[in-house]
Amino acid sequence: MPEISGLARSDRPSRPRPADSFDRRLIAPMVLGSVLNPINSAMIAVALVPIGAALGAPPAQTAWLVTGLYLATAVGQPVIGRLVDTYGPRRLYLIGTALVGIAGLLGALAPSLGALVAARVLLGVGTSAAYPASMSLTRSEAERTGRDSPAGVLTALAVSAQTVSVVGPTLGGLLIGVGGWRTIFLVNVPLSAACLVLGVLRLPKSPGGQRERRSVDPLGMALFAGLLAALMFFLMKPRADHWWLLVLAVGAATAFALREVRVAEPFIDLRVLGGNVPMLATFLRQFLSFTTAYAFLYGFTQWLEEGRELSAATAGLVLLPLSLSALAVSAVTGRREAIRGKLVVGSLVQIAGCAALLGANSGSAVWLLGAVGIVMGIPQGLNGLANQNALYRQADPARMGSAAGLLRTFMYLGAMVASAADAAVFPHGADTGGLHDLALFMLAGATLLLAVTLLDRSLRTLAPSTPRKA
């Protein structure tokens, strides 16, 4: 594990840490657990075509491998985040990472596309625990020490997730080249084992003192899940005869809102959330940022393999410059929050990258396609980190786990919309015309992201705050 923010490796013998310093032993399990979801989100990008060929499924069907995970994650992140707030991060972290190993094994042995989708759904549930647990631990440490958490801790969480998101396609392509598409599921087994060992050895059993136990509002959770599921099923095939799905989504949304404003301990406190306009704006920016990012990741990768006729391994290598540029930008800018500046630059570069994609065709040179990846990697190194830092300043510390879960929910809502867009523009295969339609869709989202950022005056005054005691 590399050093973070100048901290020495936590497994070396050392003097007892001062009472007012961040517990560095938490960093390894926090980071490793938090990357489980993005690495599984990214590796599947280069596996969709091989899986479709092996199981006889068109892109519109293999898109459910993406959507299944994100639907489970979009629901699971705030649900498990609420459980983290109630029962503490250690227990949920261990349960979630254990499910990741089980899901990886089931996916590696799956005989059909339906079984693979089920394994991806289980992966989505399992990978939903580590990030809200990590954000809760970070806030607990800030409250324990009475000091604002080291910038390197939040940066490590964001940078590691962003890095594996863009390295994932390259890693997935290499794994597929060595052992076939099933290896991208099997790799979760050792990752899960490592998380379990680190979690048992290093995560505190009672961080931040005794927690107040709250109701977990199962009815609210069920209505929220029904809302997202109905909406996503419609987006995957937006046809006139599927109108009833929209009616179901509106009904679930109405029932959810009525439930949450009346119950004493709601799953999502809409009254508090509605009064925190800056945090709502952060959720919207997260949604817009990742709608464009994931539309590019999945759509561009599919086009490289079908429209440009590259192998999965070669397509992964073409995306490597994207990985490197995102990593470089994150490393250079990570120590400074500069939330508004990062979002403005990130959205402007997204606009430029989407415009460049309109010139791509089946005869485009590989080096030119790699250059487009470099451009699109820059906002991946800026936007996610900026939104995470904004949320950390805006959220109620007592609900940090559920707030962090909601941030990831909006990220995966963006991913689900991106997956639906990919399926819509590539109904029978990833051709160049569909790629250009996708670029226009992405361009609209990036432009809206810039507008939302410029109109949010709260970003000008957002600054580190003194942690409040729970």
Side-chain angles (χ1 to χ4, degrees):
M1 185 73 190
E3 295 184 2
I4 300 175
S5 297
L7 301 178
R9 287 177 54 183
S10 58
D11 54 351
R12 293 174 181 166
S14 60
R15 293 170 295 180
R17 70 178 188 276
D20 62 348
S21 66
F22 189 91
D23 187 352
R24 296 168 293 183
R25 288 170 52 83
L26 301 178
I27 294 175
M30 285 166 57
V31 169
L32 185 59
S34 294
V35 304
L36 291 176
N37 193 286
I39 198 170
N40 277 285
S41 302
M43 287 193 301
I44 196 69
V46 293
L48 294 175
V49 172
I51 289 173
L55 301 178
Q61 292 182 15
T62 57
W64 281 104
L65 293 170
V66 178
T67 304
L69 182 140
Y70 287 139
L71 182 58
T73 305
V75 175
Q77 289 276 352
V79 168
I80 296 178
R82 180 59 185 271
L83 295 176
V84 166
D85 290 333
T86 303
Y87 297 105
R90 176 188 168 95
R91 184 181 306 177
L92 275 301
Y93 179 98
L94 295 176
I95 293 173
T97 52
L99 288 177
V100 171
I102 296 171
L105 188 59
L106 292 176
L109 300 175
S112 65
L113 182 63
L116 275 181
V117 172
R120 292 279 292 177
V121 169
L122 187 59
L123 268 176
V125 174
T127 58
S128 293
Y131 181 72
S134 297
M135 290 290 282
S136 178
L137 283 165
T138 302
R139 173 54 70 175
S140 294
E141 281 294 286
E143 293 174 349
R144 180 185 66 81
T145 62
R147 300 171 57 187
D148 200 38
S149 296
V153 177
L154 289 175
T155 300
L157 291 177
V159 170
S160 58
Q162 293 296 324
T163 301
V164 300
S165 291
V166 291
V167 171
T170 303
L171 175 61
L174 293 174
L175 289 173
I176 292 170
V178 171
W181 59 264
R182 294 184 185 274
T183 55
I184 70 166
F185 289 90
L186 195 59
V187 74
N188 285 288
V189 176
L191 290 175
S192 169
C195 287
L196 288 172
V197 171
L198 288 171
V200 168
L201 294 178
R202 298 188 177 187
L203 296 186
K205 294 184 179 179
S206 300
Q210 187 65 34
R211 289 177 179 264
E212 177 187 355
R213 295 297 175 90
R214 302 183 177 96
S215 168
V216 294
D217 188 18
L219 179 57
M221 294 177 181
L223 290 170
F224 184 72
L227 162 63
L228 291 182
L231 184 61
M232 196 60 236
F233 277 109
F234 176 80
L235 288 174
M236 289 302 295
K237 288 187 177 180
R239 297 181 347 202
D241 58 344
H242 289 170
W243 59 269
W244 60 273
L245 286 171
L246 285 180
V247 174
L248 183 60
V250 171
T254 302
F256 174 72
L258 292 175
R259 164 76 181 179
E260 298 305 276
V261 297
R262 293 178 179 177
V263 70
E265 289 289 343
F267 163 47
I268 298 175
D269 195 333
L270 296 180
R271 289 164 296 190
V272 173
L273 189 62
N276 193 338
V277 176
M279 191 165 70
L280 290 175
T282 294
F283 289 149
L284 177 58
R285 286 191 299 269
Q286 184 83 339
F287 169 76
L288 294 171
S289 298
F290 284 94
T291 297
T292 298
Y294 279 110
F296 177 80
L297 179 64
Y298 294 121
F300 185 61
T301 304
Q302 284 184 264
W303 177 80
L304 287 175
E305 296 181 50
E306 294 188 333
R308 189 56 179 78
E309 298 182 341
L310 302 178
S311 67
T314 304
L317 290 175
V318 170
L319 291 174
L320 185 58
L322 180 147
S323 309
L324 297 177
S325 67
L327 178 59
V329 169
S330 298
V332 170
T333 66
R335 289 182 177 273
R336 295 186 59 189
E337 287 196 352
I339 294 171
R340 185 175 185 274
K342 289 179 179 179
L343 289 167
V344 170
V345 173
S347 55
L348 286 172
V349 176
Q350 268 193 345
I351 290 172
C354 295
L357 204 60
L358 289 171
N361 57 63
S362 59
S364 296
V366 171
W367 68 266
L368 190 59
L369 299 176
V372 174
I374 291 176
V375 173
M376 294 300 291
I378 294 173
Q380 290 207 32
L382 294 174
N383 293 341
L385 179 58
N387 287 325
Q388 177 184 267
N389 285 337
L391 178 87
Y392 186 79
R393 304 301 175 194
Q394 296 162 340
D396 177 4
R399 290 180 175 268
M400 183 58 70
S402 53
L406 277 173
L407 185 70
R408 282 285 178 98
T409 291
F410 279 89
M411 171 180 171
Y412 295 126
L413 283 174
M416 287 190 288
V417 171
S419 178
D422 289 341
V425 300
F426 299 144
H428 305 295
D431 57 19
T432 299
L435 178 68
H436 292 165
D437 291 340
L438 185 65
L440 291 173
F441 169 81
M442 294 161 53
L443 186 60
T447 302
L448 186 55
L449 172 62
L450 177 62
V452 171
T453 300
L454 293 176
L455 291 172
D456 188 355
R457 296 183 178 181
S458 69
L459 293 177
R460 298 177 182 273
T461 57
L462 202 59
S465 58
T466 302
R468 290 174 283 175
K469 294 291 183 180

